[in-house]
Amino acid sequence: MSDPQNDLYQVREKMYVATDCIIFGFDEGKLKLLVFNRQVEPLKGEWSLIGSFVRLDEDLDVACERVLRETTGLENVFMQQLKCYGKKDRDPGYRCISVAHYALIRIDEYDKELVSQHGASWYEINEVPQLILDHNQMVLDALKQLKYNARYRPIGFELLPEKFTIPQLQCLYEAIYQRELDSRNFRKKVTSLRVLEKLDEKDKSSSKRGAFLYRFDHENYQKLVESGYDFEIA
């Protein structure tokens, strides 16, 4: 652990390092973003991403995991470092660099009471309100990275329940890409990836005939990744 009393650099000008979390969820066919009513000055009461200063006794990724856990109650979810935001005047509170991460969570698994205590709300991605500082830019950058990752990795499964139908999966990817996909081509593509396990169960919520449920085969996915398999989806 770093000891503030044992600063060998002795630089007079110092700054804060923060981490901000862009938290995506998928609900009712819509890609959504979790935003927070800021509870501290400056800019108290305005909409914000959730974040925290990195503590002296924690690694950067640990700080981000802490923020997510304290906010949603979730652990071991997909999270990826996005980029660093460091314009000198980005934060009126003090000179601060933020390293943003984005996370994908299943919207039916988070701790709703905990999220409510933080003054948080879900917004459809096309209806996100004006956020403080450079947080809107963080969201745009995260969406761009999400679209890229979703094209080459089966990242979308992180947003779905454990069991899902092919139409539900297609709906998710359409929400990520913000465009319609051809149903036949999509089904053919995702079933050819060899990372879906077809179940004997059916989802009959939308029709009497129903649609077969699938689940993601993590073990086979890891084997294919190690073999250099190309997961291009759309």
Side-chain angles (χ1 to χ4, degrees):
M1 172 180 172
S2 300
D3 183 354
Q5 302 301 320
N6 188 30
D7 183 354
L8 300 181
Y9 295 112
Q10 295 296 319
V11 178
R12 290 189 177 185
E13 293 186 351
K14 298 184 180 181
M15 65 182 71
Y16 290 101
V17 175
T19 180
D20 285 296
C21 293
I22 303 106
I23 303 174
F24 292 117
F26 183 67
D27 185 42
E28 297 179 347
K30 304 291 184 180
L31 183 65
K32 296 186 177 182
L33 177 75
L34 191 61
V35 297
F36 299 79
N37 190 269
R38 187 172 168 91
Q39 299 178 11
V40 296
E41 295 290 359
L43 307 173
K44 183 177 180 180
E46 298 190 33
W47 288 113
S48 168
L49 297 174
I50 191 67
S52 171
F53 294 120
V54 180
R55 297 169 180 169
L56 291 177
D57 63 347
E58 63 184 358
D59 295 338
L60 179 60
D61 56 345
V62 172
C64 193
E65 291 168 1
R66 170 177 56 80
V67 170
L68 190 65
R69 182 179 63 254
E70 292 176 349
T71 306
T72 68
L74 296 176
E75 297 183 273
N76 301 317
V77 301
F78 178 88
M79 184 178 294
Q80 182 180 41
Q81 186 176 131
L82 184 61
K83 60 186 292 187
C84 182
Y85 298 81
K87 287 189 176 181
K88 61 183 180 181
D89 57 352
R90 63 172 298 274
D91 192 329
Y94 196 72
R95 182 76 170 94
C96 178
I97 291 175
S98 179
V99 183
H101 293 70
Y102 81 92
L104 307 179
I105 71 172
R106 294 183 174 91
I107 214 163
D108 59 339
E109 293 183 356
Y110 71 93
D111 187 326
K112 294 179 176 58
E113 183 176 344
L114 192 59
V115 166
S116 178
Q117 290 174 6
H118 283 81
S121 297
W122 287 101
Y123 278 88
E124 291 183 23
I125 202 63
N126 292 325
E127 298 177 0
V128 174
Q130 183 62 39
L131 305 178
I132 65 168
L133 312 180
D134 45 12
H135 289 188
N136 283 96
Q137 186 60 52
M138 291 181 182
V139 174
L140 291 175
D141 292 341
L143 274 172
K144 183 178 180 180
Q145 187 63 46
L146 174 60
K147 290 177 181 179
Y148 177 83
N149 285 353
R151 184 173 177 83
Y152 297 105
R153 295 170 55 191
I155 196 172
F157 298 103
E158 304 288 348
L159 292 162
L160 290 169
E162 181 182 357
K163 300 176 183 179
F164 52 85
T165 65
I166 296 295
Q168 288 171 341
L169 181 61
Q170 179 177 337
C171 186
L172 167 62
Y173 275 87
E174 288 178 337
I176 292 174
Y177 293 137
Q178 297 291 292
R179 61 182 174 86
E180 292 186 5
L181 301 173
D182 181 82
S183 297
R184 286 187 60 186
N185 288 341
F186 182 83
R187 176 179 289 273
K188 182 178 179 180
K189 184 65 177 180
V190 296
T191 54
S192 71
L193 294 177
R194 294 180 287 166
V195 293
L196 295 183
E197 179 185 351
K198 187 176 181 180
L199 306 176
D200 293 331
E201 307 168 55
K202 280 189 173 183
D203 173 21
K204 296 186 178 182
S205 59
S206 57
S207 68
K208 291 183 178 180
R209 182 181 179 184
F212 278 105
L213 290 166
Y214 292 77
R215 65 181 166 209
F216 183 54
D217 189 334
H218 291 272
E219 184 176 347
N220 199 40
Y221 167 66
Q222 288 300 329
K223 291 179 181 177
L224 291 171
V225 167
E226 292 171 5
S227 71
Y229 190 81
D230 182 5
F231 285 93
E232 184 173 356
I233 292 178

